[in-house]
Amino acid sequence: MPDTSPTPIHAQDPAALLEAHFRLWPTPAGMPENPRLEVAALGFSRYRGDWLGVLVTPAFVRLLLLPGGGSLWGDIPAGQRRYLDLAGGTLTFFAEEVPSIGAYQWAALVESVAALPDMASARLLALDGLSLATGALPELAATPPEPAPAVSRRGFFRRLAGKRSE
């Protein structure tokens, strides 16, 4: 008889839990890895009441959905897929369940991580994918970039012409 109990929800940001699990996760045989990538859970926040973010590993970059008690989550058995309408369009999510995390669903952001040159590129891809999916810019727990110095019109054209500005 199938388990019909409700899926436990994550009351707290699941990023640390995901990183801890996937640092120990053995890559399945035949799944290529990119040694330039590391495990990072990025941009996790509540979206329609549930947790949505991106998980980067040496084997994949995926948009992850975890139950948070909202309206986005839908229970489906592990191994099944569902189509989810997000701000950026309809995505195919696949259901998984592991004891250390519980139920989660994922959608691939790239076919293969082999083409990603470094972790900075993977982070950019992850956050762009999350932004596109939700229609909002994710907040990062990092220091904001330094503002670029103001450039005069003359300085802009001098740089364009390959001359040093003074």
Side-chain angles (χ1 to χ4, degrees):
M1 186 165 184
D3 183 11
T4 57
S5 60
T7 300
I9 65 168
H10 292 270
Q12 304 291 324
D13 180 349
L17 181 68
L18 291 165
E19 287 180 354
H21 172 79
F22 282 96
R23 281 194 180 103
L24 301 174
W25 180 75
T27 303
M31 183 180 257
E33 287 191 9
N34 182 336
R36 296 176 300 267
L37 303 184
E38 58 193 44
V39 174
L42 303 169
F44 275 86
S45 63
R46 298 257 186 190
Y47 183 72
R48 296 188 205 165
D50 292 304
W51 294 100
L52 192 65
V54 177
L55 183 66
V56 175
T57 75
F60 60 77
V61 178
R62 294 178 176 168
L63 185 65
L64 262 64
L65 170 65
L66 289 95
S71 63
L72 195 58
W73 180 262
D75 278 327
I76 58 173
Q80 298 294 308
R81 70 176 158 212
R82 69 189 276 240
Y83 300 94
L84 194 55
D85 291 324
L86 299 173
T90 303
L91 294 176
T92 305
F93 279 80
F94 297 88
E96 301 241 359
E97 188 166 354
V98 293
S100 63
I101 298 171
Y104 67 97
Q105 296 167 8
W106 60 269
L109 288 184
V110 293
E111 190 70 29
S112 169
V113 294
L116 294 171
D118 53 30
M119 191 61 189
S121 298
R123 285 179 187 275
L124 186 58
L125 169 73
L127 297 176
D128 282 349
L130 185 57
S131 177
L132 186 62
T134 63
L137 292 174
E139 291 187 28
L140 295 179
T143 56
E146 293 284 326
V151 178
S152 68
R153 184 174 175 184
R154 172 182 256 161
F156 171 77
F157 286 112
R158 287 183 62 80
R159 281 194 205 157
L160 193 61
K163 298 178 183 174
R164 293 181 51 118
S165 55
E166 297 161 19

